[in-house]
Amino acid sequence: MNSPTNVSRTFYLAIASALLLFSLLMSMPTNAQLSSTFYDNTCPNALNTIRTSIRQAVSRERRMAASLIRLHFHDCFVQGCDASILLSEAATSTSEWTEAPNADSTRGYEVIDAAKAKVEKICPEVVSCADILAVVKLGRKDSTTASRDLANSDLPFFRSNVNQLIANFARKGLSARDMVALSGAHTIGQAQCFTFSDRINSNGSDIDASFASTHTRGCRNANLAPLDLVTPNSFDNNYFKNLIQKKGLLESDQTLFSGGPTDNIVSQYSRNPSTLI
């Protein structure tokens, strides 16, 4: 039997693999140019510099790890992994920042800015913001445009049902299994209370009563709640175990285990996270 540490490590690698696949699929127009050694000659210390900067940010605030994963996802899902989500209104006539899926929600912009500033000191105008945000296969170019329309239409919604999610990801060339695997990143991080208040107050049959009560009390004192109450800061497969126990916080979480087409995938990942790889 795997120890908790081994399960966490396996699940972290599984999610990392899913995010790598996601990043590559969302970068198909430039995929031929991407390489893990892209900066070996032009900026050999780039990855170490980025890694150190990101680790410092996460050590200051553990929630930042989840925020950066979400920022990466919301960037890639709109125009591909091109850092368009980083463009402010001052930089372009449109910005994805202020659209509903991102407004007062996506965060960590300053962490990417800080990493970029440190890289600029050692090799100016070489490493793209898109590569800093993704840090998988490298060689992306930064976008000069953003898309409000795509941000609104393409990004998954916290009230989406399983069929809507499957269709949403299918439009990006991703399968239902890919979608469930990527959803597993909700094993860390927090959600704003307004995104789940209707769900926990509904007294519905698809939510555990004690779980709902705990979050109702929590939202009286704070605006945020952990997506995983059991191990909120650990990369493990408790997210999937929670869904089976009707303890998915968002509607878009619990819908993955609700008598629909992804139930079996959730069950597999709850038993053996290595099946994500």
Side-chain angles (χ1 to χ4, degrees):
M1 181 178 294
N2 287 330
S3 68
T5 300
N6 287 337
V7 169
S8 296
R9 185 181 299 115
T10 299
F11 186 70
Y12 175 82
L13 292 173
I15 289 293
S17 298
L19 287 170
L20 173 58
L21 171 64
F22 172 69
S23 297
L24 294 177
L25 285 172
M26 295 300 100
S27 304
M28 290 305 288
T30 58
N31 201 26
Q33 305 170 27
L34 301 183
S35 166
S36 60
T37 59
F38 189 83
Y39 296 115
D40 280 9
N41 294 324
T42 57
C43 192
N45 291 320
L47 292 183
N48 283 335
T49 302
I50 295 168
R51 185 181 299 113
T52 299
S53 184
I54 298 299
R55 282 178 174 172
Q56 289 173 346
V58 174
S59 68
R60 290 192 296 269
E61 182 191 2
R62 295 197 66 175
R63 181 189 170 205
M64 188 55 67
S67 296
L68 291 175
I69 290 175
R70 189 168 187 268
L71 189 64
H72 166 58
F73 178 87
H74 277 228
D75 177 44
C76 292
F77 218 78
V78 176
Q79 295 185 156
C81 305
D82 62 355
S84 63
I85 197 170
L86 303 180
L87 293 172
S88 66
E89 294 285 356
T92 181
S93 58
T94 62
S95 174
E96 296 164 21
W97 285 17
T98 55
E99 294 314 293
N102 297 323
D104 301 318
S105 175
T106 49
R107 59 195 299 272
Y109 299 98
E110 74 284 358
V111 175
I112 304 302
D113 288 343
K116 174 66 170 174
K118 290 178 180 178
V119 171
E120 285 296 298
K121 289 182 179 180
I122 61 173
C123 42
E125 300 183 3
V126 173
V127 180
S128 67
C129 291
D131 278 340
I132 293 174
L133 190 53
V135 193
V136 283
K137 295 289 186 178
L138 306 168
R140 295 170 179 79
K141 293 183 179 180
D142 290 335
S143 177
T144 58
T145 62
S147 176
R148 288 175 173 168
D149 290 341
L150 289 178
N152 278 316
S153 64
D154 287 15
L155 286 167
F157 187 48
F158 60 83
R159 289 198 175 100
S160 295
N161 63 45
V162 66
N163 291 321
Q164 291 170 329
L165 290 170
I166 289 173
N168 202 351
F169 279 71
R171 287 194 292 270
K172 301 296 182 180
L174 297 165
S175 68
R177 182 172 289 274
D178 296 328
M179 181 268 290
V180 176
L182 289 165
S183 297
H186 277 184
T187 190
I188 61 173
Q190 301 180 64
Q192 297 183 72
C193 287
F194 81 88
T195 62
F196 59 84
S197 58
D198 288 348
R199 171 168 162 71
I200 63 174
N201 293 320
S202 67
N203 296 316
S205 60
D206 68 336
I207 186 168
D208 178 82
S210 62
F211 175 79
S213 177
T214 297
H215 279 85
T216 298
R217 292 194 302 272
C219 282
R220 293 192 187 112
N221 302 314
N223 183 44
L224 295 168
L227 288 157
D228 174 7
L229 279 176
V230 182
T231 53
N233 295 310
S234 298
F235 251 101
D236 54 32
N237 65 334
N238 269 322
Y239 169 81
F240 299 109
K241 294 178 180 179
N242 291 340
L243 298 185
I244 292 173
Q245 297 171 14
K246 298 184 179 181
K247 295 180 179 180
L249 187 58
L250 305 178
E251 290 179 42
S252 57
D253 290 325
Q254 192 59 57
T255 191
L256 303 183
F257 193 83
S258 57
T262 57
D263 282 18
N264 186 52
I265 302 173
V266 170
S267 295
Q268 288 177 18
Y269 294 166
S270 71
R271 295 190 302 267
N272 183 9
S274 65
T275 56
L276 275 80
I277 300 177

mmCIF file of all heavy atoms in Angstrom, residues 161-194:
data_model
loop_
_atom_site.group_PDB
_atom_site.id
_atom_site.type_symbol
_atom_site.label_atom_id
_atom_site.label_comp_id
_atom_site.label_asym_id
_atom_site.label_seq_id
_atom_site.Cartn_x
_atom_site.Cartn_y
_atom_site.Cartn_z
ATOM 1 N N ASN A 161 -22.601 22.140 -15.573
ATOM 2 C CA ASN A 161 -22.843 20.731 -15.296
ATOM 3 C C ASN A 161 -21.858 19.880 -16.097
ATOM 4 O O ASN A 161 -21.102 20.398 -16.934
ATOM 5 C CB ASN A 161 -24.293 20.338 -15.594
ATOM 6 C CG ASN A 161 -24.664 20.500 -17.057
ATOM 7 O OD1 ASN A 161 -23.928 20.110 -17.957
ATOM 8 N ND2 ASN A 161 -25.837 21.074 -17.312
ATOM 9 N N VAL A 162 -21.858 18.598 -15.857
ATOM 10 C CA VAL A 162 -20.838 17.731 -16.425
ATOM 11 C C VAL A 162 -20.875 17.722 -17.951
ATOM 12 O O VAL A 162 -19.829 17.708 -18.607
ATOM 13 C CB VAL A 162 -20.959 16.293 -15.849
ATOM 14 C CG1 VAL A 162 -22.269 15.623 -16.278
ATOM 15 C CG2 VAL A 162 -19.754 15.457 -16.261
ATOM 16 N N ASN A 163 -22.055 17.750 -18.526
ATOM 17 C CA ASN A 163 -22.146 17.740 -19.986
ATOM 18 C C ASN A 163 -21.633 19.046 -20.590
ATOM 19 O O ASN A 163 -20.993 19.039 -21.650
ATOM 20 C CB ASN A 163 -23.590 17.476 -20.423
ATOM 21 C CG ASN A 163 -24.041 16.071 -20.102
ATOM 22 O OD1 ASN A 163 -23.279 15.114 -20.241
ATOM 23 N ND2 ASN A 163 -25.270 15.925 -19.651
ATOM 24 N N GLN A 164 -21.901 20.148 -19.930
ATOM 25 C CA GLN A 164 -21.377 21.428 -20.388
ATOM 26 C C GLN A 164 -19.860 21.454 -20.303
ATOM 27 O O GLN A 164 -19.178 21.957 -21.209
ATOM 28 C CB GLN A 164 -21.978 22.567 -19.549
ATOM 29 C CG GLN A 164 -23.453 22.804 -19.792
ATOM 30 C CD GLN A 164 -24.070 23.758 -18.787
ATOM 31 O OE1 GLN A 164 -23.642 23.831 -17.632
ATOM 32 N NE2 GLN A 164 -25.096 24.490 -19.209
ATOM 33 N N LEU A 165 -19.310 20.894 -19.223
ATOM 34 C CA LEU A 165 -17.860 20.849 -19.062
ATOM 35 C C LEU A 165 -17.208 19.965 -20.117
ATOM 36 O O LEU A 165 -16.173 20.324 -20.695
ATOM 37 C CB LEU A 165 -17.502 20.347 -17.657
ATOM 38 C CG LEU A 165 -17.816 21.302 -16.503
ATOM 39 C CD1 LEU A 165 -17.634 20.596 -15.174
ATOM 40 C CD2 LEU A 165 -16.939 22.549 -16.572
ATOM 41 N N ILE A 166 -17.794 18.807 -20.372
ATOM 42 C CA ILE A 166 -17.253 17.910 -21.390
ATOM 43 C C ILE A 166 -17.228 18.605 -22.743
ATOM 44 O O ILE A 166 -16.221 18.555 -23.477
ATOM 45 C CB ILE A 166 -18.076 16.607 -21.454
ATOM 46 C CG1 ILE A 166 -17.824 15.760 -20.195
ATOM 47 C CG2 ILE A 166 -17.722 15.803 -22.706
ATOM 48 C CD1 ILE A 166 -18.711 14.534 -20.095
ATOM 49 N N ALA A 167 -18.319 19.293 -23.082
ATOM 50 C CA ALA A 167 -18.388 19.997 -24.361
ATOM 51 C C ALA A 167 -17.386 21.147 -24.416
ATOM 52 O O ALA A 167 -16.742 21.378 -25.447
ATOM 53 C CB ALA A 167 -19.810 20.523 -24.583
ATOM 54 N N ASN A 168 -17.237 21.844 -23.302
ATOM 55 C CA ASN A 168 -16.311 22.969 -23.220
ATOM 56 C C ASN A 168 -14.880 22.526 -23.480
ATOM 57 O O ASN A 168 -14.138 23.146 -24.260
ATOM 58 C CB ASN A 168 -16.425 23.609 -21.831
ATOM 59 C CG ASN A 168 -15.943 25.048 -21.799
ATOM 60 O OD1 ASN A 168 -15.371 25.542 -22.753
ATOM 61 N ND2 ASN A 168 -16.178 25.707 -20.692
ATOM 62 N N PHE A 169 -14.476 21.438 -22.846
ATOM 63 C CA PHE A 169 -13.112 20.933 -23.009
ATOM 64 C C PHE A 169 -12.927 20.276 -24.375
ATOM 65 O O PHE A 169 -11.847 20.344 -24.950
ATOM 66 C CB PHE A 169 -12.771 19.954 -21.890
ATOM 67 C CG PHE A 169 -12.349 20.621 -20.606
ATOM 68 C CD1 PHE A 169 -13.263 21.298 -19.820
ATOM 69 C CD2 PHE A 169 -11.035 20.573 -20.183
ATOM 70 C CE1 PHE A 169 -12.888 21.927 -18.637
ATOM 71 C CE2 PHE A 169 -10.631 21.185 -19.007
ATOM 72 C CZ PHE A 169 -11.566 21.870 -18.231
ATOM 73 N N ALA A 170 -13.981 19.655 -24.883
ATOM 74 C CA ALA A 170 -13.898 19.015 -26.205
ATOM 75 C C ALA A 170 -13.589 20.038 -27.287
ATOM 76 O O ALA A 170 -12.871 19.740 -28.254
ATOM 77 C CB ALA A 170 -15.196 18.279 -26.521
ATOM 78 N N ARG A 171 -14.099 21.255 -27.131
ATOM 79 C CA ARG A 171 -13.815 22.310 -28.114
ATOM 80 C C ARG A 171 -12.342 22.676 -28.133
ATOM 81 O O ARG A 171 -11.852 23.258 -29.101
ATOM 82 C CB ARG A 171 -14.667 23.546 -27.810
ATOM 83 C CG ARG A 171 -16.142 23.384 -28.151
ATOM 84 C CD ARG A 171 -16.869 24.721 -28.149
ATOM 85 N NE ARG A 171 -16.978 25.293 -26.817
ATOM 86 C CZ ARG A 171 -17.990 25.056 -25.988
ATOM 87 N NH1 ARG A 171 -18.975 24.244 -26.343
ATOM 88 N NH2 ARG A 171 -18.032 25.626 -24.801
ATOM 89 N N LYS A 172 -11.624 22.321 -27.080
ATOM 90 C CA LYS A 172 -10.183 22.566 -27.012
ATOM 91 C C LYS A 172 -9.372 21.314 -27.341
ATOM 92 O O LYS A 172 -8.150 21.290 -27.177
ATOM 93 C CB LYS A 172 -9.807 23.054 -25.604
ATOM 94 C CG LYS A 172 -10.511 24.317 -25.165
ATOM 95 C CD LYS A 172 -10.140 25.514 -26.018
ATOM 96 C CE LYS A 172 -10.814 26.782 -25.544
ATOM 97 N NZ LYS A 172 -10.460 27.959 -26.363
ATOM 98 N N GLY A 173 -10.054 20.263 -27.776
ATOM 99 C CA GLY A 173 -9.361 19.033 -28.118
ATOM 100 C C GLY A 173 -9.039 18.150 -26.928
ATOM 101 O O GLY A 173 -8.193 17.260 -27.014
ATOM 102 N N LEU A 174 -9.722 18.374 -25.807
ATOM 103 C CA LEU A 174 -9.471 17.627 -24.582
ATOM 104 C C LEU A 174 -10.637 16.685 -24.281
ATOM 105 O O LEU A 174 -11.799 17.033 -24.501
ATOM 106 C CB LEU A 174 -9.267 18.587 -23.406
ATOM 107 C CG LEU A 174 -8.051 19.512 -23.524
ATOM 108 C CD1 LEU A 174 -8.146 20.647 -22.524
ATOM 109 C CD2 LEU A 174 -6.754 18.736 -23.314
ATOM 110 N N SER A 175 -10.321 15.515 -23.767
ATOM 111 C CA SER A 175 -11.331 14.498 -23.493
ATOM 112 C C SER A 175 -11.963 14.712 -22.121
ATOM 113 O O SER A 175 -11.506 15.532 -21.312
ATOM 114 C CB SER A 175 -10.697 13.109 -23.527
ATOM 115 O OG SER A 175 -9.798 12.948 -22.434
ATOM 116 N N ALA A 176 -13.004 13.931 -21.840
ATOM 117 C CA ALA A 176 -13.634 13.966 -20.523
ATOM 118 C C ALA A 176 -12.632 13.571 -19.445
ATOM 119 O O ALA A 176 -12.622 14.143 -18.348
ATOM 120 C CB ALA A 176 -14.849 13.037 -20.493
ATOM 121 N N ARG A 177 -11.781 12.599 -19.751
ATOM 122 C CA ARG A 177 -10.753 12.189 -18.784
ATOM 123 C C ARG A 177 -9.769 13.323 -18.527
ATOM 124 O O ARG A 177 -9.355 13.560 -17.384
ATOM 125 C CB ARG A 177 -10.022 10.933 -19.284
ATOM 126 C CG ARG A 177 -8.974 10.407 -18.311
ATOM 127 C CD ARG A 177 -8.413 9.071 -18.764
ATOM 128 N NE ARG A 177 -9.405 8.016 -18.621
ATOM 129 C CZ ARG A 177 -9.597 7.342 -17.489
ATOM 130 N NH1 ARG A 177 -8.866 7.613 -16.407
ATOM 131 N NH2 ARG A 177 -10.503 6.395 -17.426
ATOM 132 N N ASP A 178 -9.365 14.027 -19.575
ATOM 133 C CA ASP A 178 -8.491 15.183 -19.396
ATOM 134 C C ASP A 178 -9.147 16.207 -18.483
ATOM 135 O O ASP A 178 -8.513 16.779 -17.592
ATOM 136 C CB ASP A 178 -8.187 15.848 -20.743
ATOM 137 C CG ASP A 178 -7.413 14.971 -21.706
ATOM 138 O OD1 ASP A 178 -6.609 14.155 -21.233
ATOM 139 O OD2 ASP A 178 -7.618 15.108 -22.924
ATOM 140 N N MET A 179 -10.442 16.453 -18.720
ATOM 141 C CA MET A 179 -11.170 17.441 -17.937
ATOM 142 C C MET A 179 -11.205 17.069 -16.462
ATOM 143 O O MET A 179 -10.969 17.909 -15.583
ATOM 144 C CB MET A 179 -12.594 17.594 -18.491
ATOM 145 C CG MET A 179 -13.457 18.620 -17.774
ATOM 146 S SD MET A 179 -14.429 17.890 -16.431
ATOM 147 C CE MET A 179 -15.608 16.907 -17.374
ATOM 148 N N VAL A 180 -11.484 15.811 -16.162
ATOM 149 C CA VAL A 180 -11.542 15.364 -14.766
ATOM 150 C C VAL A 180 -10.160 15.453 -14.120
ATOM 151 O O VAL A 180 -10.021 15.894 -12.975
ATOM 152 C CB VAL A 180 -12.101 13.933 -14.675
ATOM 153 C CG1 VAL A 180 -12.060 13.430 -13.228
ATOM 154 C CG2 VAL A 180 -13.533 13.880 -15.194
ATOM 155 N N ALA A 181 -9.130 15.053 -14.863
ATOM 156 C CA ALA A 181 -7.768 15.117 -14.328
ATOM 157 C C ALA A 181 -7.375 16.554 -13.993
ATOM 158 O O ALA A 181 -6.833 16.835 -12.915
ATOM 159 C CB ALA A 181 -6.782 14.521 -15.334
ATOM 160 N N LEU A 182 -7.658 17.477 -14.897
ATOM 161 C CA LEU A 182 -7.325 18.879 -14.652
ATOM 162 C C LEU A 182 -8.150 19.460 -13.511
ATOM 163 O O LEU A 182 -7.660 20.303 -12.747
ATOM 164 C CB LEU A 182 -7.531 19.688 -15.935
ATOM 165 C CG LEU A 182 -6.496 19.418 -17.037
ATOM 166 C CD1 LEU A 182 -6.968 19.970 -18.363
ATOM 167 C CD2 LEU A 182 -5.145 20.022 -16.659
ATOM 168 N N SER A 183 -9.388 19.013 -13.362
ATOM 169 C CA SER A 183 -10.227 19.464 -12.250
ATOM 170 C C SER A 183 -9.610 19.067 -10.919
ATOM 171 O O SER A 183 -9.848 19.715 -9.887
ATOM 172 C CB SER A 183 -11.637 18.875 -12.364
ATOM 173 O OG SER A 183 -12.291 19.327 -13.530
ATOM 174 N N GLY A 184 -8.815 18.002 -10.926
ATOM 175 C CA GLY A 184 -8.155 17.548 -9.709
ATOM 176 C C GLY A 184 -7.211 18.558 -9.106
ATOM 177 O O GLY A 184 -6.806 18.427 -7.945
ATOM 178 N N ALA A 185 -6.847 19.594 -9.868
ATOM 179 C CA ALA A 185 -6.020 20.666 -9.307
ATOM 180 C C ALA A 185 -6.758 21.407 -8.201
ATOM 181 O O ALA A 185 -6.139 22.132 -7.410
ATOM 182 C CB ALA A 185 -5.597 21.644 -10.398
ATOM 183 N N HIS A 186 -8.079 21.217 -8.106
ATOM 184 C CA HIS A 186 -8.857 21.807 -7.010
ATOM 185 C C HIS A 186 -8.590 21.104 -5.691
ATOM 186 O O HIS A 186 -9.262 21.389 -4.692
ATOM 187 C CB HIS A 186 -10.351 21.755 -7.332
ATOM 188 C CG HIS A 186 -10.808 22.877 -8.209
ATOM 189 N ND1 HIS A 186 -12.130 23.076 -8.553
ATOM 190 C CD2 HIS A 186 -10.122 23.876 -8.817
ATOM 191 C CE1 HIS A 186 -12.236 24.133 -9.332
ATOM 192 N NE2 HIS A 186 -11.030 24.637 -9.519
ATOM 193 N N THR A 187 -7.633 20.215 -5.662
ATOM 194 C CA THR A 187 -7.232 19.603 -4.395
ATOM 195 C C THR A 187 -6.523 20.613 -3.501
ATOM 196 O O THR A 187 -6.371 20.389 -2.300
ATOM 197 C CB THR A 187 -6.328 18.385 -4.638
ATOM 198 O OG1 THR A 187 -6.151 17.690 -3.408
ATOM 199 C CG2 THR A 187 -4.954 18.791 -5.165
ATOM 200 N N ILE A 188 -6.065 21.732 -4.086
ATOM 201 C CA ILE A 188 -5.499 22.824 -3.294
ATOM 202 C C ILE A 188 -6.233 24.111 -3.665
ATOM 203 O O ILE A 188 -6.929 24.189 -4.662
ATOM 204 C CB ILE A 188 -3.983 23.000 -3.511
ATOM 205 C CG1 ILE A 188 -3.684 23.326 -4.991
ATOM 206 C CG2 ILE A 188 -3.216 21.776 -3.058
ATOM 207 C CD1 ILE A 188 -2.228 23.685 -5.234
ATOM 208 N N GLY A 189 -6.073 25.120 -2.830
ATOM 209 C CA GLY A 189 -6.665 26.409 -3.130
ATOM 210 C C GLY A 189 -7.974 26.667 -2.410
ATOM 211 O O GLY A 189 -8.474 25.832 -1.647
ATOM 212 N N GLN A 190 -8.533 27.842 -2.660
ATOM 213 C CA GLN A 190 -9.755 28.273 -2.004
ATOM 214 C C GLN A 190 -10.721 28.861 -3.028
ATOM 215 O O GLN A 190 -10.333 29.216 -4.136
ATOM 216 C CB GLN A 190 -9.446 29.331 -0.938
ATOM 217 C CG GLN A 190 -8.495 28.846 0.148
ATOM 218 C CD GLN A 190 -8.223 29.924 1.180
ATOM 219 O OE1 GLN A 190 -9.130 30.362 1.882
ATOM 220 N NE2 GLN A 190 -6.974 30.347 1.277
ATOM 221 N N ALA A 191 -11.979 28.937 -2.637
ATOM 222 C CA ALA A 191 -13.009 29.529 -3.487
ATOM 223 C C ALA A 191 -13.722 30.631 -2.716
ATOM 224 O O ALA A 191 -13.867 30.563 -1.485
ATOM 225 C CB ALA A 191 -14.010 28.473 -3.934
ATOM 226 N N GLN A 192 -14.167 31.659 -3.439
ATOM 227 C CA GLN A 192 -14.941 32.720 -2.814
ATOM 228 C C GLN A 192 -16.343 32.212 -2.482
ATOM 229 O O GLN A 192 -16.941 31.449 -3.245
ATOM 230 C CB GLN A 192 -15.022 33.928 -3.749
ATOM 231 C CG GLN A 192 -13.677 34.554 -4.048
ATOM 232 C CD GLN A 192 -13.802 35.784 -4.917
ATOM 233 O OE1 GLN A 192 -14.256 36.835 -4.465
ATOM 234 N NE2 GLN A 192 -13.405 35.672 -6.172
ATOM 235 N N CYS A 193 -16.865 32.665 -1.377
ATOM 236 C CA CYS A 193 -18.134 32.130 -0.873
ATOM 237 C C CYS A 193 -19.291 32.312 -1.852
ATOM 238 O O CYS A 193 -20.191 31.472 -1.917
ATOM 239 C CB CYS A 193 -18.478 32.754 0.472
ATOM 240 S SG CYS A 193 -17.447 32.136 1.835
ATOM 241 N N PHE A 194 -19.277 33.387 -2.629
ATOM 242 C CA PHE A 194 -20.400 33.597 -3.537
ATOM 243 C C PHE A 194 -20.475 32.512 -4.605
ATOM 244 O O PHE A 194 -21.539 32.281 -5.181
ATOM 245 C CB PHE A 194 -20.320 34.986 -4.194
ATOM 246 C CG PHE A 194 -19.394 35.076 -5.375
ATOM 247 C CD1 PHE A 194 -19.849 34.781 -6.661
ATOM 248 C CD2 PHE A 194 -18.062 35.457 -5.214
ATOM 249 C CE1 PHE A 194 -19.011 34.867 -7.759
ATOM 250 C CE2 PHE A 194 -17.211 35.538 -6.307
ATOM 251 C CZ PHE A 194 -17.689 35.246 -7.581
#
